[in-house]
PDB file of all heavy atoms in Angstrom:
ATOM      1  N   MET F  71     -39.458   3.516  -9.590  1.00 85.00           N
ATOM      2  CA  MET F  71     -38.292   2.632  -9.594  1.00 85.00           C
ATOM      3  C   MET F  71     -37.131   3.245  -8.829  1.00 85.00           C
ATOM      4  O   MET F  71     -36.332   2.562  -8.234  1.00 85.00           O
ATOM      5  CB  MET F  71     -37.884   2.330 -11.032  1.00 85.00           C
ATOM      6  CG  MET F  71     -38.701   1.221 -11.654  1.00 85.00           C
ATOM      7  SD  MET F  71     -38.547  -0.317 -10.726  1.00 85.00           S
ATOM      8  CE  MET F  71     -40.207  -0.945 -10.816  1.00 85.00           C
ATOM      9  N   ARG F  72     -37.101   4.556  -8.860  1.00 84.00           N
ATOM     10  CA  ARG F  72     -36.010   5.207  -8.159  1.00 84.00           C
ATOM     11  C   ARG F  72     -36.163   5.047  -6.644  1.00 84.00           C
ATOM     12  O   ARG F  72     -35.198   4.781  -5.925  1.00 84.00           O
ATOM     13  CB  ARG F  72     -35.979   6.680  -8.540  1.00 84.00           C
ATOM     14  CG  ARG F  72     -34.797   7.355  -7.945  1.00 84.00           C
ATOM     15  CD  ARG F  72     -34.378   8.567  -8.687  1.00 84.00           C
ATOM     16  NE  ARG F  72     -33.521   9.336  -7.837  1.00 84.00           N
ATOM     17  CZ  ARG F  72     -33.397  10.629  -7.880  1.00 84.00           C
ATOM     18  NH1 ARG F  72     -34.100  11.308  -8.771  1.00 84.00           N
ATOM     19  NH2 ARG F  72     -32.585  11.255  -7.067  1.00 84.00           N
ATOM     20  N   LYS F  75     -35.231   1.606  -5.790  1.00 88.00           N
ATOM     21  CA  LYS F  75     -33.788   1.416  -5.711  1.00 88.00           C
ATOM     22  C   LYS F  75     -33.274   1.829  -4.336  1.00 88.00           C
ATOM     23  O   LYS F  75     -32.491   1.114  -3.708  1.00 88.00           O
ATOM     24  CB  LYS F  75     -33.118   2.262  -6.803  1.00 88.00           C
ATOM     25  CG  LYS F  75     -31.620   2.287  -6.732  1.00 88.00           C
ATOM     26  CD  LYS F  75     -31.048   3.244  -7.748  1.00 88.00           C
ATOM     27  CE  LYS F  75     -30.051   4.183  -7.082  1.00 88.00           C
ATOM     28  NZ  LYS F  75     -29.662   5.294  -7.950  1.00 88.00           N
ATOM     29  N   LEU F 101     -36.949  -4.974  -9.893  1.00 91.00           N
ATOM     30  CA  LEU F 101     -36.128  -3.787 -10.143  1.00 91.00           C
ATOM     31  C   LEU F 101     -35.137  -4.057 -11.270  1.00 91.00           C
ATOM     32  O   LEU F 101     -34.932  -3.223 -12.149  1.00 91.00           O
ATOM     33  CB  LEU F 101     -35.396  -3.396  -8.860  1.00 91.00           C
ATOM     34  CG  LEU F 101     -34.605  -2.103  -8.892  1.00 91.00           C
ATOM     35  CD1 LEU F 101     -35.534  -0.919  -9.124  1.00 91.00           C
ATOM     36  CD2 LEU F 101     -33.839  -1.904  -7.587  1.00 91.00           C
ATOM     37  N   ALA F 102     -34.522  -5.243 -11.225  1.00 90.00           N
ATOM     38  CA  ALA F 102     -33.572  -5.599 -12.275  1.00 90.00           C
ATOM     39  C   ALA F 102     -34.274  -5.677 -13.622  1.00 90.00           C
ATOM     40  O   ALA F 102     -33.679  -5.412 -14.667  1.00 90.00           O
ATOM     41  CB  ALA F 102     -32.912  -6.936 -11.950  1.00 90.00           C
ATOM     42  N   GLN F 104     -37.286  -4.030 -14.538  1.00 87.00           N
ATOM     43  CA  GLN F 104     -37.997  -2.868 -15.052  1.00 87.00           C
ATOM     44  C   GLN F 104     -37.250  -1.556 -14.922  1.00 87.00           C
ATOM     45  O   GLN F 104     -37.594  -0.583 -15.584  1.00 87.00           O
ATOM     46  CB  GLN F 104     -39.343  -2.744 -14.331  1.00 87.00           C
ATOM     47  CG  GLN F 104     -40.230  -3.941 -14.577  1.00 87.00           C
ATOM     48  CD  GLN F 104     -41.413  -3.978 -13.639  1.00 87.00           C
ATOM     49  OE1 GLN F 104     -41.550  -3.123 -12.768  1.00 87.00           O
ATOM     50  NE2 GLN F 104     -42.268  -4.972 -13.803  1.00 87.00           N
ATOM     51  N   GLY F 105     -36.297  -1.503 -14.062  1.00 83.00           N
ATOM     52  CA  GLY F 105     -35.666  -0.228 -13.777  1.00 83.00           C
ATOM     53  C   GLY F 105     -34.867   0.305 -14.943  1.00 83.00           C
ATOM     54  O   GLY F 105     -34.578  -0.402 -15.899  1.00 83.00           O
ATOM     55  N   SER F 106     -34.519   1.588 -14.836  1.00 85.00           N
ATOM     56  CA  SER F 106     -33.588   2.169 -15.795  1.00 85.00           C
ATOM     57  C   SER F 106     -32.225   1.574 -15.467  1.00 85.00           C
ATOM     58  O   SER F 106     -32.059   0.857 -14.495  1.00 85.00           O
ATOM     59  CB  SER F 106     -33.542   3.672 -15.621  1.00 85.00           C
ATOM     60  OG  SER F 106     -32.860   3.966 -14.425  1.00 85.00           O
ATOM     61  N   ILE F 107     -31.244   1.948 -16.277  1.00 83.00           N
ATOM     62  CA  ILE F 107     -29.965   1.263 -16.156  1.00 83.00           C
ATOM     63  C   ILE F 107     -29.383   1.303 -14.743  1.00 83.00           C
ATOM     64  O   ILE F 107     -28.873   0.312 -14.227  1.00 83.00           O
ATOM     65  CB  ILE F 107     -28.992   1.828 -17.204  1.00 83.00           C
ATOM     66  CG1 ILE F 107     -28.469   0.679 -18.046  1.00 83.00           C
ATOM     67  CG2 ILE F 107     -27.860   2.569 -16.596  1.00 83.00           C
ATOM     68  CD1 ILE F 107     -27.585   1.096 -19.131  1.00 83.00           C
ATOM     69  N   LEU F 108     -29.509   2.450 -14.093  1.00 82.00           N
ATOM     70  CA  LEU F 108     -28.917   2.569 -12.758  1.00 82.00           C
ATOM     71  C   LEU F 108     -29.685   1.772 -11.720  1.00 82.00           C
ATOM     72  O   LEU F 108     -29.104   1.150 -10.833  1.00 82.00           O
ATOM     73  CB  LEU F 108     -28.892   4.030 -12.340  1.00 82.00           C
ATOM     74  CG  LEU F 108     -27.597   4.717 -12.708  1.00 82.00           C
ATOM     75  CD1 LEU F 108     -27.744   6.209 -12.550  1.00 82.00           C
ATOM     76  CD2 LEU F 108     -26.472   4.201 -11.843  1.00 82.00           C
ATOM     77  N   ASP F 109     -31.005   1.823 -11.848  1.00 86.00           N
ATOM     78  CA  ASP F 109     -31.826   1.046 -10.922  1.00 86.00           C
ATOM     79  C   ASP F 109     -31.557  -0.432 -11.125  1.00 86.00           C
ATOM     80  O   ASP F 109     -31.466  -1.213 -10.180  1.00 86.00           O
ATOM     81  CB  ASP F 109     -33.313   1.317 -11.177  1.00 86.00           C
ATOM     82  CG  ASP F 109     -33.606   2.798 -11.194  1.00 86.00           C
ATOM     83  OD1 ASP F 109     -32.898   3.533 -10.477  1.00 86.00           O
ATOM     84  OD2 ASP F 109     -34.514   3.233 -11.931  1.00 86.00           O
ATOM     85  N   LYS F 110     -31.420  -0.771 -12.378  1.00 88.00           N
ATOM     86  CA  LYS F 110     -31.153  -2.157 -12.734  1.00 88.00           C
ATOM     87  C   LYS F 110     -29.893  -2.658 -12.046  1.00 88.00           C
ATOM     88  O   LYS F 110     -29.836  -3.770 -11.530  1.00 88.00           O
ATOM     89  CB  LYS F 110     -30.985  -2.201 -14.250  1.00 88.00           C
ATOM     90  CG  LYS F 110     -31.087  -3.547 -14.882  1.00 88.00           C
ATOM     91  CD  LYS F 110     -30.760  -3.440 -16.337  1.00 88.00           C
ATOM     92  CE  LYS F 110     -31.932  -3.497 -17.269  1.00 88.00           C
ATOM     93  NZ  LYS F 110     -32.793  -4.638 -17.157  1.00 88.00           N
ATOM     94  N   ARG F 111     -28.886  -1.796 -12.032  1.00 88.00           N
ATOM     95  CA  ARG F 111     -27.623  -2.197 -11.425  1.00 88.00           C
ATOM     96  C   ARG F 111     -27.836  -2.563  -9.971  1.00 88.00           C
ATOM     97  O   ARG F 111     -27.328  -3.576  -9.489  1.00 88.00           O
ATOM     98  CB  ARG F 111     -26.608  -1.056 -11.569  1.00 88.00           C
ATOM     99  CG  ARG F 111     -25.232  -1.460 -11.158  1.00 88.00           C
ATOM    100  CD  ARG F 111     -24.157  -0.631 -11.796  1.00 88.00           C
ATOM    101  NE  ARG F 111     -24.052   0.697 -11.190  1.00 88.00           N
ATOM    102  CZ  ARG F 111     -22.886   1.336 -11.058  1.00 88.00           C
ATOM    103  NH1 ARG F 111     -21.776   0.790 -11.476  1.00 88.00           N
ATOM    104  NH2 ARG F 111     -22.851   2.526 -10.512  1.00 88.00           N
ATOM    105  N   VAL F 112     -28.596  -1.735  -9.272  1.00 90.00           N
ATOM    106  CA  VAL F 112     -28.867  -2.028  -7.864  1.00 90.00           C
ATOM    107  C   VAL F 112     -29.729  -3.282  -7.745  1.00 90.00           C
ATOM    108  O   VAL F 112     -29.518  -4.119  -6.868  1.00 90.00           O
ATOM    109  CB  VAL F 112     -29.544  -0.824  -7.182  1.00 90.00           C
ATOM    110  CG1 VAL F 112     -29.958  -1.176  -5.761  1.00 90.00           C
ATOM    111  CG2 VAL F 112     -28.601   0.356  -7.173  1.00 90.00           C
ATOM    112  N   GLY F 113     -30.678  -3.412  -8.677  1.00 91.00           N
ATOM    113  CA  GLY F 113     -31.523  -4.600  -8.665  1.00 91.00           C
ATOM    114  C   GLY F 113     -30.706  -5.868  -8.789  1.00 91.00           C
ATOM    115  O   GLY F 113     -30.860  -6.799  -8.000  1.00 91.00           O
ATOM    116  N   TYR F 114     -29.804  -5.889  -9.767  1.00 91.00           N
ATOM    117  CA  TYR F 114     -28.952  -7.056  -9.945  1.00 91.00           C
ATOM    118  C   TYR F 114     -28.086  -7.305  -8.718  1.00 91.00           C
ATOM    119  O   TYR F 114     -27.901  -8.433  -8.286  1.00 91.00           O
ATOM    120  CB  TYR F 114     -28.049  -6.871 -11.176  1.00 91.00           C
ATOM    121  CG  TYR F 114     -28.667  -7.324 -12.478  1.00 91.00           C
ATOM    122  CD1 TYR F 114     -28.605  -6.536 -13.616  1.00 91.00           C
ATOM    123  CD2 TYR F 114     -29.285  -8.566 -12.570  1.00 91.00           C
ATOM    124  CE1 TYR F 114     -29.154  -6.946 -14.820  1.00 91.00           C
ATOM    125  CE2 TYR F 114     -29.837  -8.995 -13.764  1.00 91.00           C
ATOM    126  CZ  TYR F 114     -29.769  -8.187 -14.889  1.00 91.00           C
ATOM    127  OH  TYR F 114     -30.306  -8.610 -16.068  1.00 91.00           O
TER     128      TYR F 114
ATOM    129  N   GLU X 142     -27.434  10.208 -12.268  1.00 42.00           N
ATOM    130  CA  GLU X 142     -28.029  11.543 -12.298  1.00 42.00           C
ATOM    131  C   GLU X 142     -27.304  12.423 -11.283  1.00 42.00           C
ATOM    132  O   GLU X 142     -26.669  11.940 -10.369  1.00 42.00           O
ATOM    133  CB  GLU X 142     -29.511  11.473 -11.908  1.00 42.00           C
ATOM    134  CG  GLU X 142     -30.348  10.660 -12.838  1.00 42.00           C
ATOM    135  CD  GLU X 142     -30.714   9.316 -12.235  1.00 42.00           C
ATOM    136  OE1 GLU X 142     -29.812   8.636 -11.695  1.00 42.00           O
ATOM    137  OE2 GLU X 142     -31.883   8.973 -12.293  1.00 42.00           O
TER     138      GLU X 142
END
Side-chain angles (χ1 to χ4, degrees):
Chain F
M71 278 301 141
R72 185 156 163 209
K75 173 186 130 191
L101 186 63
Q104 298 167 358
S106 72
I107 235 177
L108 268 168
D109 309 329
K110 197 186 256 305
R111 189 156 75 146
V112 174
Y114 272 134
Chain X
E142 298 105 313

